[in-house]
Amino acid sequence: MSDDPFPQQLPTLQRLGVDEPTLTSPTEVAEVATTWFNAFSSAVASSDIAAILDLFLEDGFWKDTLAFTWDFRTIEGREAIRNLLDHRLAPTGFINLRLCHEPFLAPQLLKFFPDLVLLRLSFEFDTKVGRGAAVCHLVPVPGSRWKAYSLYTCLQSLNDYPEQIGPLRQLAAEHGTWEERRRREVELADGDPTVLVIGAGHNGLEVAARLKYLGVSYLVIEKKARVGDNWRDRYKALALHTPVWQSQTAYLPFPPTWPVYSPARKLANWLESYAEYLELNVWTSSVITKTEWNDNLKTWTVEINRGGKDTRTFKVKHLVFATGFGGRPILPDIPGKEDFKGEILHSSEFTSAAHYIGKKAVVVGTGTSGHDIAQDFFNHGVGVTICQRSSTHIMSVEAIRELFGVLFNDTIPTDIADVYHTSLPYPLVKRIRQRIVPHSAQTTDKEVLDGLAKVGFKTNLGPYGAGLVHLLYSKGGGYYVDAGTTKHVINGDIKLKSGSAIERFTEKGVMFADGTELEVDVVVFATGYGDQRDSMRELCGPQVADKVNKVWGLTKEGDVNSIFRDSGHEGLWFAVGALSHTNLACSFTFLTSPCRQKVISRWRVSTAAILRSRLKPAS
């Protein structure tokens, strides 16, 4: 498409001008990886930038997470990589490169398609401030050589802030002092926190866990009465649509008995236990009543009302908004609401169809929430119509398993799968999806998609035919991973209204633009949420909010806007994403090193970004 923001092409064998590689054994693959790695290491050691560049394709990528740029960047093309190295190679102190050969980390030949072959290798490195790890994808070029199509570098740990786990965990026994110590920690009796995390959902808790065990003082505040209520208070039928292998939590992974698709209320209880077992400082039933930024001192003054009784004022360096995906619920302004005798609510207010037995319902919106709620109505014997406003991308759980199951399964550790998935630049990921998604639609999902088309349900393959990946990053919705609801739409158990929008409410229901009227007792709008910055604007005011960049969506380089990175305002951060998204898009989990050092999990990068303000990296 002419308006495609990522027009890059795949490094196919034809485009590279080579035949399919004839590497037939792991030994041959390792030899190719070692040859390239030794040349790269030698060039880095001698600061020979020209030699480094010669090891990359002309249109190759260098993707970096904090190691070189103190940011999330995807650098494209030799000249841009030259600029990166000119400015950052010497100041970074890129040294002690070590090729990995352990299981799951050893060099491997990857045949994505008959015409797309990559050789993946992993290595560790040190910098002046910490340790890191890298993943490189090589492609064959004429002359029996291999060059880097993409290199991913990620800062794993900070020398001055080692994680307090394993051999660094607390060693001294506590004889009768533990309860008092925890009381003082939770009450912040010994001073103000450095970081205030707003929201005790999975994002806020995992950020807090990383901060705690990196030795950074923090407090998490949650407006609801219990940790986990952000999941517990949603509709009872809610369950994760991403499998357990993509949805782990830092320090405390789900047990091997955990179901593949977690019920929301089970996850809520897990998060409550997570906060308790990891001894996190959380204040529930607490809200911010006032914030003020001091630009001279670079601090926030924050007033917090706790439980509707006590008020505390803190001075903190950082605010982290972990208030969930999206802003305020979007409820379309449709005329005639005052005439309607039934109930109108947003999906965020819906709890269970059990409250509407014997009535008739319409659900507006055909994304995940719309399908889930329609299914709940059907399960309770409530007559329900689902109203489709625009086409929807539908992909079955089987197709998702085919898409992600190569990495995310019971065999490969989630931490390693996370980073391999993250290591590829987004333009390449999108191009690969543009091949896989249409194939799945014509094979695995053909029966379902054909059945939906017959009843008038409009589907699409996602923007640019790339499936849910671009939808997820661009708008966070517009798709449904089919867990079984579509069959009820196809056979008519769940009725469908498509092709005509609701024009107005009537006394007994809704009138569509085509003149048809539907008599219903309850209308549920599964119509999404507003700007991610809504809650921040309410708490911090327009003077601060106007400085904050767009949150969510993709940058021109293919990285996510303002998530765990500069938001446009000092000391203000956003922790956003579902458990699965945290893994796939925002997690920079890395590998277990050959030296058996600790596994670096997903939230270290976000807290490292906060910690960088306490470091003084070379400019």
Side-chain angles (χ1 to χ4, degrees):
M1 292 184 177
S2 60
D3 62 342
D4 189 342
F6 302 102
Q8 298 88 343
Q9 299 300 309
L10 291 173
T12 60
L13 297 175
Q14 180 181 5
R15 185 164 164 258
L16 295 168
V18 296
D19 295 327
E20 182 177 349
T22 57
L23 304 179
T24 58
S25 71
T27 300
E28 290 179 304
V29 172
E31 288 175 354
V32 170
T34 301
T35 298
W36 183 91
F37 177 75
N38 288 343
F40 181 75
S41 298
S42 177
V44 168
S46 59
S47 299
D48 189 342
I49 293 177
I52 295 173
L53 294 174
D54 187 54
L55 295 168
F56 281 79
L57 284 185
E58 187 68 37
D59 59 348
F61 292 85
W62 189 314
K63 186 174 181 180
D64 182 63
T65 298
L66 299 176
F68 278 74
T69 62
W70 287 101
D71 198 357
F72 303 156
R73 296 291 307 276
T74 301
I75 311 299
E76 180 185 358
R78 279 187 187 170
E79 286 309 306
I81 294 173
R82 181 194 300 277
N83 184 61
L84 169 71
L85 297 175
D86 283 342
H87 289 87
R88 296 301 307 157
L89 181 60
T92 297
F94 192 42
I95 58 174
N96 299 331
L97 280 62
R98 302 170 293 279
L99 185 63
C100 298
H101 293 285
E102 289 68 32
F104 306 115
L105 305 179
Q108 184 178 359
L109 195 67
L110 307 173
K111 295 185 178 181
F112 287 89
F113 307 108
D115 65 341
L116 181 62
V117 180
L118 305 179
L119 193 156
R120 183 181 65 205
L121 61 94
S122 304
F123 65 89
E124 290 186 311
F125 60 87
D126 292 335
T127 73
K128 292 179 179 179
V129 299
R131 303 191 71 185
V135 176
C136 184
H137 289 87
L138 308 179
V139 294
V141 296
S144 299
R145 297 181 63 198
W146 291 73
K147 293 194 175 186
Y149 176 70
S150 70
L151 175 62
Y152 175 59
T153 48
C154 175
L155 186 66
Q156 281 188 294
S157 61
L158 296 166
N159 296 335
D160 293 340
Y161 299 90
E163 218 168 0
Q164 298 165 16
I165 61 175
L168 297 180
R169 74 178 80 192
Q170 180 178 318
L171 298 178
E174 293 185 273
H175 298 287
T177 60
W178 175 79
E179 287 182 319
E180 175 60 17
R181 175 178 64 80
R182 279 298 297 142
R183 185 194 68 78
R184 293 185 65 84
E185 286 178 353
V186 172
E187 296 299 323
L188 281 300
D190 298 320
D192 291 356
T194 299
V195 182
L196 178 64
V197 181
I198 306 164
H202 56 275
N203 291 302
L205 293 179
E206 291 198 71
V207 168
R210 287 298 175 193
L211 290 169
K212 178 183 180 72
Y213 294 105
L214 286 169
V216 181
S217 61
Y218 70 94
L219 172 66
V220 182
I221 62 168
E222 168 58 50
K223 66 181 180 180
K224 291 182 177 290
R226 293 171 60 189
V227 171
D229 276 352
N230 61 316
W231 287 97
R232 198 176 286 113
D233 291 347
R234 298 187 68 187
Y235 54 90
K236 290 183 180 180
L238 178 62
L240 297 187
H241 287 232
T242 47
V244 64
W245 307 288
Q246 295 173 255
S247 305
Q248 290 289 356
T249 48
Y251 295 128
L252 195 63
F254 298 124
T257 57
W258 199 263
V260 173
Y261 300 101
S262 176
R265 295 184 176 220
K266 184 177 179 68
L267 178 61
N269 293 341
W270 174 268
L271 294 176
E272 191 169 41
S273 299
Y274 183 88
E276 178 67 23
Y277 293 148
L278 293 183
E279 299 185 358
L280 303 182
N281 303 333
V282 182
W283 290 4
T284 54
S285 301
S286 299
V287 295
I288 291 176
T289 55
K290 183 180 180 181
T291 65
E292 184 178 354
W293 169 253
N294 188 314
D295 200 43
N296 293 322
L297 298 177
K298 307 300 181 185
T299 59
W300 295 94
T301 300
V302 185
E303 185 179 279
I304 300 170
N305 181 276
R306 187 180 185 188
K309 300 175 182 178
D310 301 328
T311 297
R312 289 276 297 274
T313 300
F314 296 114
K315 291 188 182 300
V316 303
K317 290 287 187 180
H318 303 276
L319 293 182
V320 179
F321 281 85
T323 50
F325 188 84
R328 289 185 291 269
I330 295 175
L331 200 63
D333 185 16
I334 297 174
K337 289 181 181 179
E338 64 281 359
D339 299 325
F340 181 52
K341 301 302 182 181
E343 184 177 355
I344 302 170
L345 66 161
H346 188 266
S347 59
S348 60
E349 303 169 290
F350 179 83
T351 57
S352 174
H355 302 308
Y356 304 100
I357 292 174
K359 297 184 178 181
K360 293 181 289 185
V362 63
V363 179
V364 181
T366 51
T368 298
S369 294
H371 276 86
D372 283 353
I373 293 170
Q375 178 75 54
D376 193 32
F377 278 124
F378 169 74
N379 289 345
H380 283 83
V382 177
V384 59
T385 299
I386 193 167
C387 179
Q388 185 178 38
R389 301 180 299 161
S390 58
S391 65
T392 309
H393 177 60
I394 302 292
M395 204 169 194
S396 67
V397 291
E398 291 79 15
I400 290 292
R401 193 176 299 121
E402 292 172 1
L403 186 63
F404 296 116
V406 173
L407 284 177
F408 296 99
N409 51 54
D410 276 321
T411 302
I412 301 176
T414 299
D415 290 330
I416 293 177
D418 279 347
V419 74
Y420 280 157
H421 200 283
T422 303
S423 66
L424 290 171
Y426 178 73
L428 176 62
V429 172
K430 192 197 74 170
R431 289 299 182 196
I432 291 173
R433 296 290 181 267
Q434 285 176 319
R435 291 191 178 191
I436 294 176
V437 170
H439 177 73
S440 294
Q442 290 300 315
T443 54
T444 305
D445 290 343
K446 179 175 173 55
E447 183 178 350
V448 167
L449 295 177
D450 286 350
L452 289 172
K454 287 179 181 178
V455 298
F457 188 100
K458 297 179 175 61
T459 63
N460 62 60
L461 297 179
Y464 314 106
L468 63 79
V469 175
H470 199 85
L471 280 167
L472 175 66
Y473 290 152
S474 61
K475 58 186 291 188
Y479 59 86
Y480 172 60
V481 177
D482 183 21
T485 302
T486 56
K487 66 183 179 183
H488 298 298
V489 176
I490 292 170
N491 66 22
D493 291 334
I494 295 174
K495 296 179 174 59
L496 172 68
K497 181 65 177 181
S498 183
S500 184
I502 296 176
E503 191 172 71
R504 61 184 175 86
F505 283 93
T506 65
E507 183 177 338
K508 296 182 178 180
V510 292
M511 179 72 72
F512 291 92
D514 61 8
T516 60
E517 182 176 2
L518 182 64
E519 292 189 4
V520 294
D521 303 292
V522 57
V523 181
V524 181
F525 285 95
T527 45
Y529 296 84
D531 195 298
Q532 187 67 50
R533 295 165 289 188
D534 287 348
S535 59
M536 178 274 301
R537 181 175 290 274
E538 291 175 0
L539 293 178
C540 298
Q543 188 173 358
V544 169
D546 289 346
K547 295 180 181 179
V548 174
N549 300 325
K550 179 182 178 181
V551 178
W552 205 256
L554 293 174
T555 68
K556 292 180 180 179
E557 294 180 352
D559 298 297
V560 183
N561 285 300
S562 303
I563 305 299
F564 302 119
R565 63 191 305 193
D566 178 24
S567 69
H569 192 288
E570 291 180 84
L572 197 155
W573 307 83
F574 291 89
V576 177
L579 282 162
S580 58
H581 169 75
T582 301
N583 290 339
L584 302 178
C586 291
S587 79
F588 298 96
T589 308
F590 221 86
L591 322 173
T592 306
S593 79
C595 302
R596 299 294 187 267
Q597 80 170 55
K598 54 192 173 288
V599 173
I600 308 302
S601 194
R602 59 183 61 100
W603 294 107
R604 167 162 300 180
V605 169
S606 62
T607 52
I610 292 173
L611 280 167
R612 71 179 177 180
S613 65
R614 296 167 65 175
L615 299 171
K616 294 183 179 179
S619 60

